[in-house]
Amino acid sequence: MKPFLVVSALTVALLWPGSLAQAMVHDGRSYAIEEAIPKLEQRRNPYILREQWWFGDLEKRGRKVIRHQLYRGNDYWFWVGASEPSDRLSVHIYDPQGRLVDAESYRKEQVAAARVEAEVTGSYYVVIQALHVSQSTLGWAMLYGYR
Amino acid sequence: MSRALWHFALSLFLAFSLSAEEGPPLQLNLDELPADLVEEVVVPLPDEVFRSLDKLGKQNWHSQLIGKRLEDLSLVQSRGETALLLGMVVANGFVAVQAKDSEEVHLTGQQVLRLAEVLGVKESVLPHCQIILESARNEGWDEVRRELDRAQKSVRDSMKELRDENLAQLVSLGGWIKGTQAVAGLLLQEYQADDSEILNQPELCEYLSDTFYAMPPDLRQGEVFGKVEQGLEVLQPLLRTNADGVIEEASLEIIQSETTNVVESLLKS
């Protein structure tokens, strides 16, 4: 684990009691949660972080699709992180008809994020894609917040 | 072409090629999505649907609480029933947060601890329950909500560590049933067709049903699981909006009745 990450994981653990073990075992999650913190701590109407998170491996240009029940009127941010700082990935949200519905999305180094304001209730598709894989596979972790 | 112009043209070409390559497709072809590509179906927290409902102005949350009957929960049920009950009690805790009912949150915290002890995962939820009890006294609703989520996750993680993945699934199923009952109950208090769409969850219901039937038959034996089987069968076609994008009032009544049957049988067993 990189020294920077040790510090950030400890910071995250202090901010989010009970998450230390998880933060230490998956670097991708640590990067993702670091990216999420400003949205979780914003003064007005902060997002609520779901404790459960998802992870896996992707090969070069590989994709994973996670089906996710979203509710009308709710606003969601999805954050994904790659375990290796030099790896790159993307995340985008599609509605139950398969239409791209990102209200916002961006990539920043080893993390990516997408926001959606659910206009209908139903099963959405969160698509995670590896864009640059420095080793044989890319380890990813995904978490989300809602409000 | 001058050298500068050539460089300009090349950089324009590269910029457009890169953006074209990296831009996400605007449409997913759902019919051709390979099955192995689809990793998981995320079962939402009850809190997520409750928030959505809250925005519609449905706020008579007290009417959906289990109440004093929480004190009389039986601890002599099978492990499967206890896991289902635990999920239901946690979901009731989320309802209690919506209702801002300290006493109900307190009861919920106590019962989560008791049920977790029966399932052998008390240690994992103890710190969360302590915070829930303390926050209930201080009416720290955000903390209670966060710790309910953490308690449920800790229980599920501990069960997975103990290779009790099926019990972890039953916790989720119990939470979903109680959440669906509460939402259907609130929607029925003042039925408005537009709002009924919030219970449109056919894929989620199918996933929970598939997961349930994949469990060993001896784990889902008994009256309670008979009600669950019946409920899932009845609910599947009903938790789906019609051509007008609504769930009819009559369907909502059946949804509420079926989910109530399961909740009641769990409380009685």
Side-chain angles (χ1 to χ4, degrees), chain A residues 47-65:
Chain A
Y47 289 80
I48 298 167
L49 180 73
R50 171 88 184 261
E51 284 295 310
Q52 200 174 340
W53 52 283
W54 292 262
F55 63 95
D57 292 305
L58 285 172
E59 292 179 352
K60 193 177 177 186
R61 305 298 298 176
R63 282 195 305 168
K64 278 291 175 199
V65 179

Side-chain angles (χ1 to χ4, degrees), chain B residues 205-222:
Chain B
C205 186
E206 186 185 348
Y207 167 75
L208 289 167
S209 185
D210 290 349
T211 310
F212 177 73
Y213 284 109
M215 291 178 192
D218 61 333
L219 184 66
R220 45 188 174 86
Q221 274 183 348

Side-chain angles (χ1 to χ4, degrees), chain B residues 232-257:
Chain B
L232 288 172
E233 199 173 315
V234 174
L235 293 177
Q236 274 219 20
L238 299 179
L239 291 170
R240 178 188 294 275
T241 50
N242 62 18
D244 297 328
V246 302
I247 296 175
E248 300 285 351
E249 189 171 9
S251 300
L252 268 184
E253 282 168 359
I254 301 171
I255 293 166
Q256 192 205 19
S257 151

Side-chain angles (χ1 to χ4, degrees), chain A residues 124-143:
Chain A
Y124 287 63
Y125 300 85
V126 182
V127 180
I128 301 168
Q129 181 160 18
L131 301 176
H132 174 75
V133 182
S134 59
Q135 296 173 6
S136 58
T137 58
L138 176 154
W140 59 270
M142 182 198 85
L143 41 95

